[in-house]
Amino acid sequence: MYLFIINPRSGGGAGQRTWHAVEAMLEARGTAYDALFTRSAGSAEAQVLHALARRENWRAAIVIGGDGTIHSVLGALRRCGVALAVIPAGSGNDTARGFGIPLDAEAALDAALQDRCLTADLLSGPEGLTLTAVAGGFDAQVAVNVNNGPYKRLCNAIGAGQLAYLIGILHTLITFKPCRVSVICDGKEQAFEQAWLVSICNLPSYGGGLLICPQAKADDGLLDVCVVHGLSRGQLLRLFPTVVKGKHTRLPFVTMLRGRSVAVHFAQPRHAIGDGESLGTAPMAVRCEPGALRVLSPLAGARGADGAAGPCSASGQAAAGCRGRPSAAGGVPSSALRTGVR
């Protein structure tokens, strides 16, 4: 049995449209499933925990949404030991890119139903779990401006989610001011003057395909860090085209680090984001949790047995971790969860 987790609002309504198409495919194939419609990012984890507690033999939880939707349910999937699959329907879709998942809905569904898993690390911090990247400074401010601005909705409506981030970069460039930052990687502290951004990555890209840490691997037990510092606004603007192809890493105002734990302290309050979602303005502290999540991915077949995590179905012992949740924590009303094809 598969649990489909649908955010109908993701991608400016792309989640709802994608689900309608996927639902027809499932009915045509005779695939058994439960479908859960999330109400909000804040209640999604509790909804998913309640849904997963209903049975033990889940093949996978298939998220139809964007990176933010995935972010909101990571805690539930880790606790229950259920593998993640993705049918991308967001603005950035960097989780899908990082795991070689097609952006086309039918091709992504095919990949999800192949039962091929990879183990993936997670980033763990005071604000919870993150899969793609935790970032602070300019890029985080871009995400905040994009999420709060009108152009994200307009760009999603025309199928150009990445354009919203490019507009956000120009918007933020006008007002953002760099400051000093201290970065502690595996206990070694380095200070950078006039720092624009610090990104701590588990996957190579964020922001709709920007290869900020092109060497990052989701299963190596390490965090890749990019610090951009000591450059002018004009140089920063010229930097971003190189980030699209990951060609920025050897520039003199870019420092790349790697380690198992990273702490970041900006001299002035700076926004931070995880999977594109706001983490507030507190200093960032992140550690790598190796192999904490299983992900259904076409890359599992390409890498062979060494890169796979074995059967994707959750064990009874893992599923037992979902039980005992109080109903007041945000249970699943009948209107939010339905079953298809028996």
Side-chain angles (χ1 to χ4, degrees):
M1 176 70 80
Y2 295 94
L3 176 65
F4 281 80
I5 303 168
I6 303 112
N7 178 358
R9 299 166 301 282
S10 68
Q16 184 71 56
R17 296 190 296 272
T18 301
W19 167 242
H20 286 323
V22 169
E23 184 178 29
M25 297 174 202
L26 294 171
E27 296 292 334
R29 298 176 188 213
T31 303
Y33 67 88
D34 280 354
L36 172 66
F37 294 85
T38 62
R39 297 191 296 267
S40 68
S43 65
E45 181 174 351
Q47 284 186 268
V48 172
L49 280 171
H50 278 270
L52 292 176
R54 299 173 67 243
R55 63 178 72 248
E56 295 181 357
N57 62 333
W58 294 107
R59 302 287 296 277
I62 304 178
V63 174
I64 297 181
D67 298 321
T69 306
I70 297 166
H71 178 83
S72 70
V73 303
L74 288 174
L77 300 186
R78 181 173 181 269
R79 172 172 176 163
C80 298
V82 175
L84 167 70
V86 179
I87 298 178
S91 300
N93 298 318
D94 289 291
T95 302
R97 286 187 182 86
F99 290 103
I101 297 168
L103 299 182
D104 173 76
E106 185 170 11
L109 177 63
D110 289 339
L113 301 182
Q114 289 300 310
D115 198 36
R116 297 189 304 211
C117 276
L118 295 175
T119 57
D121 307 333
L122 287 173
L123 286 69
S124 179
E127 301 299 324
L129 299 172
T130 297
L131 182 53
T132 59
V134 171
F138 181 84
D139 46 355
Q141 188 63 56
V142 169
V144 170
N145 289 345
V146 169
N147 289 334
N148 294 336
Y151 41 84
K152 180 177 182 178
R153 184 166 55 254
L154 294 173
C155 291
N156 284 336
I158 62 174
Q162 190 176 26
L163 178 60
Y165 288 95
L166 297 177
I167 297 172
I169 289 170
L170 297 175
H171 174 191
T172 309
L173 191 65
I174 297 171
T175 57
F176 189 87
K177 295 181 179 179
C179 68
R180 188 176 191 275
V181 69
S182 169
V183 180
I184 304 172
C185 184
D186 284 352
K188 181 180 178 181
E189 183 174 5
Q190 297 185 57
F192 302 91
E193 302 297 332
Q194 296 296 99
W196 286 85
L197 63 90
V198 180
S199 299
I200 307 167
C201 297
N202 189 39
L203 295 178
S205 74
Y206 64 6
L210 297 175
L211 288 170
I212 190 72
C213 288
Q215 303 303 316
K217 296 181 180 179
D219 59 356
D220 63 357
L222 295 171
L223 306 172
D224 284 72
V225 184
C226 178
V227 186
V228 177
H229 55 93
L231 70 167
S232 67
R233 294 180 192 277
Q235 288 175 313
L236 182 69
L237 188 59
R238 292 192 294 273
L239 171 74
F240 276 98
T242 69
V243 177
V244 173
K245 295 184 178 181
K247 301 296 186 181
H248 62 292
T249 58
R250 295 186 179 182
L251 295 175
F253 36 75
V254 175
T255 299
M256 305 298 295
L257 305 170
R258 181 173 288 166
R260 291 176 172 82
S261 65
V262 180
V264 178
H265 301 269
F266 285 97
Q268 300 175 18
R270 290 289 182 262
H271 283 286
I273 54 171
D275 293 325
E277 300 298 299
S278 176
L279 301 179
T281 58
M284 299 186 296
V286 180
R287 70 179 186 278
C288 180
E289 292 199 8
L293 184 71
R294 290 174 301 138
V295 181
L296 287 118
S297 164
L299 300 180
R303 295 181 185 179
D306 289 341
C312 288
S313 300
S315 67
Q317 181 179 4
C322 298
R323 299 193 187 112
R325 302 293 295 181
S327 59
V332 184
S334 59
S335 60
L337 180 65
R338 69 171 187 259
T339 300
V341 188
R342 287 298 190 185

